[in-house]
Amino acid sequence: MAESSLRPMNALGDTHSVETSGAHAAPDLQFENLEQQHATRVFGMWIFLVTELMLFGALFLMYTVYRAFYPAAFAEGSRHLDLALGGINTAVLIVSSLCIALAIHAARTSAKRSQLALWLLAAAVLGIVFMVIKGYEYFLHYQNGEMPVFNWTLTGAGAGHVQLFFWLYFAMTGVHAIHLSIGIALVGIMILRALLGNFKPNAYTPLEMTGLYWHFVDIIWIFLLPLLYLIAR
Amino acid sequence: MSEPIIPTRTLFIVCGALLLLTALTIGAYFMDLGILHTPVALAIAGAKAVLILLFFMHLRYSSGLTRIVLLAGLLWLGILILGTMDDALTRGWVLGTAP
């Protein structure tokens, strides 16, 4: 890395210039060293992710209860989903997670900042591809009259319970999509900071935290695939 | 940092395994597994989650403290779901589950 001003970040993402010597960033006042600073912030991120798990957990709980009550309606609702699109989206998110992991690898091995930015860009683009495919799926549900409130045309015995499945489908995929949008925005910020040379092999904590968030959102989708798309043929 | 840097080769292998497991779960969907259908799908999803946690989220190299945070979260999620189902399924609201 060329000599440039080194900016360790605190948890809020503030930057402040620090006198540096060589490639070693200085920790903030309250920390003994960079390792402790990094470990503390990553630990905080994990606690946040566990609160996120509880947020999604409430949705998973509702899903479990109503699927136990109306298994046939959930199987019927599941057959209205497009497995090809769901499968493609799963692959898209998995590859995007690989890109994030490769970006962190690039940051830690002193690769060129353009290389780091490119991996992040690839992940963000894949995130957007996911959102576009998801939006197309929503559009199809609207067209087919499978969208509660906006356009619901299914009638007959048990249609109300199928609607319940679709309420949960939109709530779960919707909350997931909101999270992914936040993830894409975060990665966008990381691209700018990478290009500004904010990250060093020993100062990449914001990148690590963004990565943890991205992978968490990926894991949520990995469970949504079998729960929503793969209930019964 | 003190955490080792995971080689790119490992990252690519993990990604390949994740894609393979995705293909596997969709393949299992078209097989006649009967009552095992959902458990198999969830087991494959769980395996994928473990791979991501261990390698992409570096849990394999994290401190015990970080792992305990995750385990505590999963424990409470388990209490949330099992505790609620314990109640919901023993009220006779679902056919054949009356006490």
Side-chain angles (χ1 to χ4, degrees):
Chain A
M1 270 299 181
E3 287 291 324
S4 61
S5 69
L6 210 49
R7 296 170 178 187
M9 276 68 57
N10 68 22
L12 297 171
D14 297 334
T15 64
H16 37 102
S17 297
V18 170
E19 287 301 319
T20 60
S21 57
H24 292 286
D28 280 352
L29 272 180
Q30 68 271 37
F31 297 109
E32 291 280 334
N33 52 47
L34 284 172
E35 279 76 16
Q36 190 200 18
Q37 175 173 285
H38 180 80
T40 307
R41 287 170 181 172
V42 168
F43 177 61
M45 190 65 194
W46 273 99
I47 290 185
F48 169 69
L49 289 182
V50 167
T51 68
E52 287 277 66
L53 179 65
M54 293 331 247
L55 170 73
F56 280 99
L59 290 167
F60 283 119
L61 171 67
M62 273 195 282
Y63 173 94
T64 311
V65 169
Y66 285 115
R67 181 167 163 183
F69 284 6
Y70 314 115
F74 271 56
E76 173 61 21
S78 178
R79 282 190 281 270
H80 287 262
L81 304 184
D82 192 327
L83 178 57
L85 293 177
I88 291 168
N89 257 352
T90 308
V92 166
L93 270 197
I94 288 172
V95 176
S96 78
S97 267
L98 172 69
C99 293
I100 293 279
L102 289 171
I104 289 174
H105 185 272
R108 295 190 62 189
T109 50
S110 321
K112 290 198 191 88
R113 52 176 86 160
S114 60
Q115 192 184 338
L116 165 59
L118 274 175
W119 281 124
L120 289 172
L121 184 67
V125 167
L126 286 170
I128 291 166
V129 167
F130 179 95
M131 294 293 283
V132 169
I133 293 174
K134 198 73 228 160
Y136 176 64
E137 270 189 274
Y138 278 13
F139 171 71
L140 288 180
H141 292 313
Y142 178 77
Q143 270 199 327
N144 296 338
E146 297 158 350
M147 194 179 271
V149 179
F150 293 100
N151 186 17
W152 183 261
T153 56
L154 298 184
T155 51
H161 297 153
V162 177
Q163 193 181 52
L164 195 57
F165 169 82
F166 271 99
W167 274 108
L168 279 165
Y169 164 81
F170 281 108
M172 293 168 101
T173 57
V175 173
H176 176 267
I178 291 170
H179 278 79
L180 189 62
S181 310
I182 295 168
I184 294 168
L186 286 175
V187 171
I189 295 168
M190 291 307 131
I191 293 172
L192 290 178
R193 292 181 67 165
L195 292 174
L196 289 170
N198 276 183
F199 304 124
K200 305 285 166 196
N202 62 351
Y204 66 101
T205 310
L207 214 52
E208 176 77 19
M209 287 160 77
T210 305
L212 287 174
Y213 184 79
W214 190 278
H215 298 312
F216 170 80
V217 174
D218 190 3
I219 289 178
I220 293 292
W221 179 261
I222 277 170
F223 280 96
L224 290 184
L225 177 79
L227 291 180
L228 297 173
Y229 292 79
L230 305 176
I231 295 180
R233 197 151 30 115
Chain B
M1 300 300 145
S2 48
E3 291 170 24
I5 299 175
I6 303 175
T8 50
R9 198 180 120 83
T10 310
L11 297 175
F12 277 104
I13 290 171
V14 168
C15 181
L18 289 169
L19 291 172
L20 214 64
L21 286 168
T22 304
L24 189 69
T25 194
I26 290 174
Y29 171 70
F30 290 105
M31 281 166 28
D32 192 15
L33 297 174
I35 197 169
L36 287 176
H37 202 82
T38 301
V40 166
L42 285 177
I44 295 174
K48 289 160 79 179
V50 167
L51 279 177
I52 292 179
L53 285 164
L54 286 181
F55 295 99
F56 287 175
M57 298 173 89
H58 314 140
L59 219 53
R60 185 160 181 247
Y61 310 99
S62 297
S63 65
L65 191 62
T66 311
R67 294 179 194 178
I68 284 175
V69 170
L70 176 67
L71 288 179
L74 292 175
L75 177 71
W76 284 105
L77 184 65
I79 291 172
L80 178 77
I81 292 178
L82 288 178
T84 308
M85 292 310 286
D86 174 40
D87 184 41
L89 291 179
T90 49
R91 288 173 177 267
W93 290 344
V94 184
L95 279 179
T97 61

